[in-house]
Amino acid sequence: MLNLLEYLEGSARRLPGKPAFCDEGRAFTFGELWDFARRCGAAIARRVNAVNRPIVVLTGRTAVTAAAFQAVLASGNYYAPMDEAMPAARMEAILNQLQPPLVLYAPGQEEAAARLAPLCPTLNVDEGAGEAPDDNLLEYRRARVLDVDPAYAIFTSGSTGMPKGIVCHHRGVIDLAEWLAQAGRFTGDDVLGNQAPFYFDGSVKDVYMTLKCGCTCHILPKKLFMFPKLLIDELNRKKVTTLAWATSAVHLVASSGVLRQYRPEYLTKVLAGGEALQAKALNVWRSALPKVRYINLYGPTETTVDAAWYEVDREFADGESIPIGTACRNTELLVLGEDLRPVPDGQVGEICIRGTGLACGYYGDWDKTRAAFIQNPLNPNYTDLIYRTGDLGYWGEDGLLYFAARQDGQIKHMGYRIELGEVETALNGLDGMEAVCFFDRERDKIVCVCRTALTDKEIVGAIREKLPRYMQPNLYRRVDAMPYNANGKIDRVRLKEEYFGETNHKI
């Protein structure tokens, strides 16, 4: 395989009338999806006279979002998902970085598209799909795309206050899909319940398991996660067999208590990824659904979603650490010390990853790319890159890898990777505001300590225009003056100690 479109093409040929992606108001069969991709892809190609250019796709929890991704690939370009509800300032920052030749939007997203129109040409995907296909044009474009060329670019939080674009290629996604289909035992009989937003890399599993294996993917409305009983009802109504969810969603259902009374009757496997899986939550699921397979996944966006996996095969005490396991196929996991040499088993070091899943790098940012994607220090003989994750881990006596902590100010909150530096930059951009942020991991809350005359309501109102909801602080604590250390910097250690001392739990 050279191109991800081969998955859709094959499933459309085998299963043209089978539902592929379904939301509350719209569904695509594989045949309809292929026709949409060809027609809208040709419309994109007529407007963008190039290959391997980033095409922004405004995303919603809709089947047409998944269809738009395939249309972009059909045009010979790669897609950059952008949340339709993202603050305008962040949208503009991403567009300024990418300089895309086109923004795609769907019916219902006209307001967001209108905000972007002065910065970039836009196209309604349904209007594009209404144009005539041009298979000769698409075949010409596709022939120019290699498997090492980009498939998508996903933007995550950046420490400097600017979003960071991670560019992933076809070969990385193909390797992920081929491995996951085998390891997860996916078949055409599987029915997926999508939770991960399409601008979050966890959704890549839902999209490409559906396309490769001929599964049906139901896109679950976001509101259901506020009402777990209704969520379970929906899973049963749609006969969902597979959940590939952000770990935070798995935790949410467990902590709600709903599984004590109600069961997803058709479920056969649960895949969790995005942050550390808590044994306490896992035990709730296993107690309610002991015959279901549970798989813990680990991997940063820079390694094409997942790099390590562990299928739960034993009992865990509530406070015990769940391993992240062993390397996915065609991937190697290294645990290196400060000298970039392997550390002994049981000793904590930085998790580093090599393999075909490594991303192309950070869009337009060579300094960050060179700092994170480095020559393998164990191989001085030819180009052999590894990715430095910034995560700390260790090899256990059982031969499995365990996550320990982050090295820096990056956190995982609500399933999203967030640089606290970006949150602080946005806060400190407000008039009369001096702020630092840290993460209360036990309570899963971003804490902002600030010196300001602004009220909480004024801060929240202003920050809403700068940051997505999941990046906004959950708690604000005010001080009359910031403490400083001997180096003249804000004393973050003291602020943390004061907060965690008052809340009576550990840092």
Side-chain angles (χ1 to χ4, degrees):
M1 274 193 66
L2 297 178
N3 192 301
L4 285 167
L5 276 175
E6 294 177 48
Y7 287 140
L8 171 56
E9 194 173 22
S11 292
R13 188 183 304 116
R14 290 182 292 110
L15 306 161
K18 183 178 180 180
F21 295 99
C22 312
D23 61 38
E24 288 182 291
R26 189 169 182 178
F28 286 89
T29 65
F30 285 101
E32 291 167 342
L33 191 62
W34 179 236
D35 184 63
F36 183 100
R38 288 170 53 241
R39 289 175 176 274
C40 189
I44 296 167
R46 293 185 191 105
R47 291 161 174 79
V48 181
N49 188 26
V51 295
N52 294 322
R53 294 293 309 279
I55 307 297
V56 168
V57 177
L58 289 180
T59 66
R61 296 198 58 73
T62 61
V64 75
T65 294
F69 291 168
Q70 299 309 299
V72 172
L73 295 180
S75 76
N77 294 288
Y78 61 101
Y79 55 90
M82 181 184 286
D83 179 15
E84 63 183 349
M86 186 182 291
R90 188 174 174 85
M91 285 185 175
E92 291 179 16
I94 291 174
L95 289 185
N96 287 335
Q97 282 190 59
L98 281 179
Q99 295 292 304
L102 193 64
V103 171
L104 302 184
Y105 69 96
Q109 296 177 326
E110 288 82 4
E111 184 177 342
R115 294 202 305 268
L116 302 180
L119 301 173
C120 180
T122 62
L123 173 65
N124 183 308
V125 291
D126 276 357
E127 292 179 7
E131 296 185 12
D134 186 338
D135 289 337
N136 289 332
L137 174 60
L138 296 186
E139 286 173 13
Y140 171 72
R141 293 293 183 87
R142 184 161 155 183
R144 296 175 62 195
V145 176
L146 309 181
D147 66 351
V148 293
D149 287 331
Y152 61 79
I154 284 184
F155 278 78
T156 65
S157 175
S159 59
T160 62
M162 292 297 293
K164 190 166 57 177
I166 303 163
V167 182
C168 295
H169 47 72
H170 286 259
R171 175 50 51 192
V173 184
I174 291 167
D175 269 10
L176 170 76
E178 295 296 319
W179 163 78
L180 185 59
Q182 182 181 42
R185 297 178 221 155
F186 281 83
T187 73
D189 294 329
D190 277 308
V191 178
L192 282 67
N194 163 262
Q195 170 271 327
F198 287 117
Y199 56 84
F200 180 45
D201 75 331
S203 66
V204 170
K205 293 190 280 280
D206 289 325
V207 171
Y208 291 101
M209 284 301 91
T210 298
L211 298 177
K212 171 182 166 52
C213 301
C215 307
T216 295
C217 180
H218 290 283
I219 301 165
L220 303 172
K222 184 178 179 180
K223 62 188 177 186
L224 290 181
F225 289 86
M226 295 185 287
F227 304 100
K229 166 60 168 61
L230 299 181
L231 175 61
I232 301 298
D233 288 344
E234 183 71 359
L235 297 180
N236 287 332
R237 194 159 36 245
K238 302 300 186 185
K239 298 184 178 181
V240 169
T241 67
T242 304
L243 306 179
W245 283 3
T247 308
S248 56
V250 174
H251 290 168
L252 182 150
V253 171
S255 63
S256 73
V258 69
L259 293 176
R260 288 196 292 266
Q261 293 179 282
Y262 305 99
R263 305 283 189 275
E265 298 171 11
Y266 301 90
L267 208 57
T268 62
K269 50 184 171 281
V270 174
L271 294 77
E275 57 189 288
L277 177 62
Q278 298 171 4
K280 182 178 180 181
L282 173 65
N283 289 338
V284 171
W285 280 86
R286 295 190 77 198
S287 176
L289 299 162
K291 295 183 180 180
V292 168
R293 297 174 62 213
Y294 298 92
I295 298 175
N296 188 29
L297 296 167
Y298 165 83
T301 306
E302 288 88 344
T303 62
T304 314
V305 190
D306 295 317
W309 73 299
Y310 169 70
E311 182 166 354
V312 177
D313 58 2
R314 67 175 180 85
E315 298 295 324
F316 288 88
D318 277 359
E320 199 173 348
S321 294
I322 307 293
I324 55 179
T326 57
C328 301
R329 189 170 61 202
N330 216 15
T331 302
E332 183 179 9
L333 304 171
L334 306 170
V335 181
L336 305 181
E338 292 184 2
D339 59 356
L340 294 180
R341 307 304 296 176
V343 300
D345 290 355
Q347 183 174 320
V348 171
E350 182 180 5
I351 300 172
C352 298
I353 299 169
R354 65 184 292 267
T356 55
L358 264 62
C360 303
Y362 300 113
Y363 189 91
D365 196 327
W366 288 103
D367 289 340
K368 279 191 175 67
T369 298
R370 293 188 185 104
F373 297 85
I374 67 167
Q375 172 65 24
N376 182 357
L378 310 182
N379 178 11
N381 301 310
Y382 53 84
T383 301
D384 177 14
L385 297 182
I386 65 172
Y387 173 66
R388 301 187 65 172
T389 68
D391 290 334
L392 299 177
Y394 60 92
W395 293 107
E397 293 180 358
D398 52 10
L400 301 175
L401 184 62
Y402 288 77
F403 173 82
R406 279 293 303 173
Q407 268 187 330
D408 51 26
Q410 191 182 93
I411 65 169
K412 283 289 185 70
H413 175 54
M414 296 173 63
Y416 298 95
R417 196 172 71 177
I418 298 168
E419 295 275 5
L420 290 179
E422 182 173 356
V423 181
E424 290 182 359
T425 298
L427 287 163
N428 287 315
L430 305 180
D431 288 340
M433 184 77 160
E434 185 178 22
V436 298
C437 294
F438 51 87
F439 189 48
D440 184 339
R441 191 176 305 278
E442 184 177 321
R443 299 182 180 183
D444 195 25
K445 294 185 183 298
I446 298 174
V447 181
C448 169
V449 179
C450 56
R451 181 187 63 78
T452 180
L454 298 173
T455 66
D456 286 0
K457 184 176 181 180
E458 289 171 332
I459 297 172
V460 171
I463 209 68
R464 189 182 295 129
E465 302 298 319
K466 297 189 173 191
L467 297 175
R469 186 176 181 84
Y470 66 85
M471 290 179 65
Q472 297 169 21
N474 307 108
L475 293 174
Y476 291 93
R477 296 173 66 87
R478 296 168 179 279
V479 293
D480 294 330
M482 288 288 187
Y484 289 86
N485 58 27
N487 295 323
K489 298 180 179 180
I490 292 177
D491 194 337
R492 295 171 180 268
V493 173
R494 178 176 162 186
L495 290 173
K496 283 186 179 182
E497 288 175 346
E498 289 176 354
Y499 167 79
F500 286 105
E502 290 173 15
T503 52
N504 296 315
H505 64 284
K506 298 179 181 179
I507 295 178

